[in-house]
Amino acid sequence: MRILVSGAGVAGPVVAYWLTRHGFRVTVVERAAAARRTGGHAVDLFRPAMDISEKMGVLRRVEERATGTDRMTVFQEGVRRPVRVDLSRIFGAASDRHVEVMRDELSGIYRDAARDDVEYLFGDSITAISPDGQVRFENAAPRRFDLVVGAAGLHSNVRRLVFGAESRFSAFTGAYFGVLTLPNVLGLDGELLMHVGVGRTAGIYGARHLGEARALFLFRRTRA
C-alpha cells in the first residue's frame, strides 16, 4: 500500500515513521526546498508526546536539544515590580514528563528516525488529487497513491483541494501573533522575559545551544 504524506514538519515525519513500521510504503512531499534547520519557535512536549518519542527511540536526542527555559519574568504595564515565575513547577503540575524544544529541531529528529525508509520530495507540492488516488505535483511526475494524508499545517493546499477555499472555514480570532529571530544580546539562558499590557504582549527568550533569541509579539485588534 502506497501512502503520500503532505508536510515534513512535525506530524508528517511521525506519521511516516509509524506507517513504515507497519509495512506501508511512504512518500512525504514538502514545499520547502530543503529540511529546515533554523530552530523555529519553541514547542512543549508533555507525557503523550514524550512517550511517543521514547517508543521511536529518539527521546534522548529530544532531551539533549531542550531549550532549558525554566524561569519567566513578567513586567506588567503600570506595575513597578516584575513577577518571577518558576516555569518548571507549572509544567510539573501539568505533566510528570515535559521538555521544551525548538520546533524545527524536533522536526529534524523525527525525520531522521525513519529517513532510510521514507522517500522525501523536497521543493514540491500537491496540485491535484483525483478520487482514484492520482496525485499531480508542481514538479514531480504524477503518481497514484492508496491514501493521501494532509499534515501540511497552516494554509494547507491539501485541505483546499479536498474541502475548498480556506476562507469558508477560517475565522478571525481578534489577535495577531508573530515570532522572529534575534541575536541573543541579553545573554538569556533559561529565562523568558515578558512585557504585558492591555491587549498586547511582547516577550523574548533564548535557547542555550542556539546562540540566538526569539522575540514574540501578541496583540489584539479589530481586523481592518
Side-chain angles (χ1 to χ4, degrees), residues 8 14 18 31-32 35 38 45 53 63 68 79 85 92 107-108 152 156-157 161-162 181 183 186 219:
V14 173
W18 289 109
R31 181 184 296 276
T38 58
L45 306 185
S53 299
E63 293 176 331
V79 178
V85 180
S107 174
S156 165
N157 64 319
L161 291 170
V162 175
T181 300
L186 298 177
F219 60 94

Side-chain angles (χ1 to χ4, degrees), residues 63-213:
E63 293 176 331
E64 288 173 349
R65 308 308 289 177
T67 65
T69 302
D70 56 12
R71 306 181 310 279
M72 178 172 65
T73 301
V74 181
F75 299 88
Q76 296 175 274
E77 186 176 15
V79 178
R80 294 183 60 183
R81 299 182 61 180
V83 175
R84 291 179 170 83
V85 180
D86 184 346
L87 292 175
S88 62
R89 296 183 64 180
I90 294 177
F91 290 131
S95 175
D96 59 347
R97 302 188 78 178
H98 167 264
V99 66
E100 183 185 72
V101 62
M102 305 307 286
R103 181 188 183 279
D104 289 350
E105 291 188 323
L106 179 65
S107 174
I109 292 171
Y110 287 153
R111 190 167 51 249
D112 289 345
R115 62 182 175 182
D116 296 331
D117 304 313
V118 177
E119 177 190 20
Y120 279 90
L121 301 177
F122 285 101
D124 213 337
S125 181
I126 298 171
T127 59
I129 305 172
S130 66
D132 64 354
Q134 189 75 7
V135 177
R136 294 186 178 275
F137 301 93
E138 287 183 358
N139 301 310
R143 300 194 205 177
R144 186 187 179 282
F145 296 90
D146 298 290
L147 178 67
V148 177
V149 179
L154 290 173
H155 314 302
S156 165
N157 64 319
V158 171
R159 285 199 297 271
R160 177 180 56 79
L161 291 170
V162 175
F163 301 111
E166 182 181 276
S167 59
R168 295 173 53 199
F169 308 100
S170 62
F172 181 57
T173 62
Y176 290 90
F177 179 68
V179 181
L180 64 146
T181 300
L182 299 171
N184 192 4
V185 295
L186 298 177
L188 295 173
D189 185 6
E191 184 175 16
L192 167 64
L193 302 180
M194 298 289 289
H195 292 260
V196 180
V198 177
R200 60 187 184 274
T201 297
I204 187 169
Y205 65 93
R208 294 172 182 171
H209 59 281
L210 287 179
E212 299 174 334

Side-chain angles (χ1 to χ4, degrees), residues 3-23:
I3 299 176
L4 175 64
V5 178
S6 176
V10 172
V14 173
V15 168
Y17 173 91
W18 289 109
L19 288 174
T20 58
R21 290 302 178 270
H22 286 81

